[in-house]
Amino acid sequence: MVSLGGRGITLVTAAVAILAVLVTGLVAFPLIRAATVDSARQQLARQADAYAAAPAASRALDVRERSVLGPQTYKLSTITASGTVTGPAQHLLAPAEIGQVLTGQNLSRTLSTNGGELLLEARALKRGGGIVLTRSLQDINAESAQLLTRTLLALGIGLLIAVLAGTLLARRLSRPLVRTAAVARRIAAGERTVELAPSGMTEVRAIGEAITTLDQALIASEDRQHEFLLSITHEIRTPLTAVRGYAEAMVDGLVLPEDVARVGQVLAAETDRLDGFVRDLLALARLEAEDFALEVGPVNVEGILKQVQEAWHGAAAQAGVPLQLRLPANGEVVAVTTDGQRLRQIIDALVGNALRVTPAGKPLVIEVRLEYSAAAPAGLPDVVAVDVRDNGPGLTAQDAAVAFERGVLHRRYAGQRPVGSGLGLSIAARLAQRLGVQLSVEPTVSTDDGACFCIRLPRSPQEQ
């Protein structure tokens, strides 16, 4: 049984076929009638010409044959040399028209009479006088009605064939479409890895392939979200467990007075960890919003980097990591046009990530460089590159390929090296995408050299 969608296509196909036949009939019937009348008029004119050109003996014989054989398609009247009309056309011609015929001019008219419309053809005879042939349009319409009946029968047969063929074609077309729609509904309802049999039609097959690709993309996306939620849940549960444990110990009186300060520090640290998770999640939510605001303007990169150095100096000193800032040696002012606050967020995220993996005694380097793009003017660098280099365990080529995907490195190296929430680099990459700047992992000689992340921005034209 054909589904609702298949029935709809079938009905539409049948309706189109019926409409096409009706339009054909509406156009064809007037054309057929007009063609029949024109043909009858031309035939009557040829008969009048032939009759007028025939010898008198032949005309007399024709009259005799007509009286013996009965009425023909036309009726014959005569005009004497004096202008008297005898026969069926006796009262049809005006004196002026009779005079026109007698002077040798042909007369061709359609007349309305009490008996209906008539076709009239009048011709002059060689020996004087003339003849008038008339034919009723009613007879012509009767002939055209027979032709129209046959045409209508042919259209009916054509309509029947068209509806049957259209129904079969519609079912053939709709069957894979209905299957595809059913699969799409199953995917929308949450079912995954739905098999869809390929169709023989190119367009329907393309739709099926697109739905299969969508299904696979949804599976991958949901797997990433599931893994991300599991990771975040695990990370949040750890500080919550510590906070709850100390809180219950304090309620039970198990924390000694001299340990209260230490326990308070632990609770504050765990609370800061939770606060960091919440901030990261909120940052990601804001980055995904359509109304994420940017305030673009001229930005002094050197000033931004000095702010970063000042802000991270305390944390770096506490970790025993020298924080080095390297600026262009010639003292050039390095300016770009961007959102300075968002640029600072990206650099802060990279520095925080680098500080976490850099061992004590090894430097963390922030460096700004000038580079040349392919379209740079001769001798004028037009790209500002900001490097953040750590001296940690480094990244493999496989790590670099997924460094900005949420939580991938966190899951890969949890328990093996210092890791954060797995959100910092993802937030930095989304910010860079919103700013329209390039953020990449730069290649290093070996993984022992640590990792280097680079932000590249177009240099302001006035500074080039």
Side-chain angles (χ1 to χ4, degrees):
M1 183 177 179
V2 184
S3 68
L4 181 59
R7 286 198 297 270
I9 296 176
T10 302
L11 291 175
V12 169
T13 304
V16 170
I18 293 172
L19 181 61
V21 170
L22 290 176
V23 171
T24 301
L26 291 175
V27 173
F29 291 166
L31 293 177
I32 291 173
R33 185 178 183 280
T36 304
V37 172
D38 289 341
S39 176
R41 187 187 303 276
Q42 293 171 8
Q43 182 182 5
L44 189 63
R46 287 195 298 269
Q47 288 173 335
D49 291 337
Y51 200 90
S58 297
R59 290 198 301 271
L61 181 60
D62 177 70
V63 172
R64 183 175 179 279
E65 288 179 349
R66 286 169 57 83
S67 64
V68 173
L69 297 177
Q72 301 296 313
T73 57
Y74 63 86
K75 294 180 179 180
L76 174 66
S77 302
T78 60
I79 304 175
T80 65
S82 60
T84 302
V85 179
T86 58
Q90 182 177 359
H91 304 291
L92 299 181
L93 296 178
E97 293 174 328
I98 295 174
Q100 178 182 338
V101 173
L102 294 178
T103 58
Q105 299 182 37
N106 295 338
L107 181 63
S108 179
R109 288 188 56 190
T110 300
L111 299 176
S112 295
T113 66
N114 294 332
E117 291 186 313
L118 297 175
L119 296 181
L120 183 146
E121 296 288 337
R123 299 292 187 271
L125 299 176
K126 294 180 179 180
R127 295 182 178 275
I131 54 106
V132 179
L133 301 184
T134 58
R135 185 176 182 185
S136 173
L137 278 179
Q138 185 176 359
D139 296 337
I140 299 172
N141 290 336
E143 294 179 4
S144 66
Q146 296 178 359
L147 180 58
L148 291 176
T149 301
R150 297 189 184 98
T151 303
L152 185 61
L153 178 61
L155 288 175
I157 296 173
L159 174 61
L160 180 61
I161 295 174
V163 170
L164 292 176
T167 300
L168 294 176
L169 179 61
R171 291 188 178 186
R172 183 175 181 273
L173 289 173
S174 64
R175 193 172 293 114
L177 288 175
V178 170
R179 288 199 304 265
T180 303
V183 169
R185 285 192 290 270
R186 290 167 61 187
I187 292 174
E191 190 175 347
R192 296 293 178 263
T193 318
V194 182
E195 293 187 4
L196 179 60
S199 171
M201 289 173 286
T202 303
E203 293 79 5
V204 179
R205 185 169 62 251
I207 295 174
E209 291 173 353
I211 290 180
T212 302
T213 302
L214 176 62
D215 185 24
Q216 295 170 352
L218 286 173
I219 293 173
S221 176
E222 290 171 355
D223 287 345
R224 288 196 299 268
Q225 291 180 12
H226 182 66
E227 293 176 4
F228 172 71
L229 290 175
L230 288 178
S231 174
I232 290 299
T233 301
H234 173 75
E235 291 297 325
I236 291 178
R237 184 180 290 118
T238 301
L240 280 177
T241 301
V243 170
R244 183 170 185 172
Y246 277 114
E248 291 176 350
M250 293 178 71
V251 170
D252 295 338
L254 300 177
V255 178
L256 299 176
E258 59 270 20
D259 293 333
V260 170
R262 179 182 60 81
V263 171
Q265 291 176 351
V266 173
L267 291 176
E270 295 304 313
T271 302
D272 287 341
R273 286 184 63 192
L274 284 173
D275 184 60
F277 281 124
V278 173
R279 286 198 307 270
D280 287 346
L281 291 173
L282 289 176
L284 278 177
R286 285 194 295 270
L287 283 170
E288 298 295 337
E290 293 296 331
D291 58 350
F292 182 76
L294 293 176
E295 297 181 3
V296 178
V299 175
N300 186 334
V301 177
E302 180 180 346
I304 292 286
L305 295 182
K306 287 182 177 179
Q307 293 175 9
V308 172
Q309 183 184 33
E310 183 67 23
W312 288 93
H313 175 74
Q318 187 176 4
V321 175
L323 183 58
Q324 301 177 2
L325 176 60
R326 299 177 184 176
L327 302 173
N330 55 10
E332 282 189 86
V333 176
V334 181
V336 296
T337 301
T338 188
D339 186 324
Q341 179 182 354
R342 305 301 183 185
L343 177 61
R344 168 73 188 273
Q345 282 183 260
I346 298 174
I347 299 173
D348 282 338
L350 297 179
V351 171
N353 180 74
L355 184 60
R356 183 171 49 253
V357 298
T358 301
K362 296 293 185 70
L364 191 163
V365 179
I366 306 173
E367 182 178 5
V368 59
R369 299 177 289 104
L370 296 178
E371 296 181 345
Y372 298 86
S373 71
L380 297 175
D382 60 344
V383 175
V384 176
V386 178
D387 292 334
V388 177
R389 293 197 299 273
D390 61 61
N391 275 276
L395 298 173
T396 65
Q398 292 77 13
D399 293 338
V402 296
F404 300 112
E405 295 186 18
R406 284 187 303 206
V408 175
L409 295 183
H410 171 85
R411 294 190 296 273
R412 183 173 295 178
Y413 291 111
Q416 303 178 33
R417 64 171 69 169
V419 292
S421 66
L423 299 177
L425 291 178
S426 176
I427 293 173
R430 291 291 290 119
L431 278 169
Q433 181 181 359
R434 284 299 186 116
L435 287 178
V437 302
Q438 181 184 354
L439 175 60
S440 60
V441 182
E442 297 297 287
T444 55
V445 177
S446 68
T447 56
D448 295 334
D449 296 325
C452 178
F453 292 86
C454 181
I455 309 167
R456 288 183 172 85
L457 308 93
R459 191 179 182 188
S460 296
Q462 60 269 25
E463 303 297 335
Q464 297 179 17

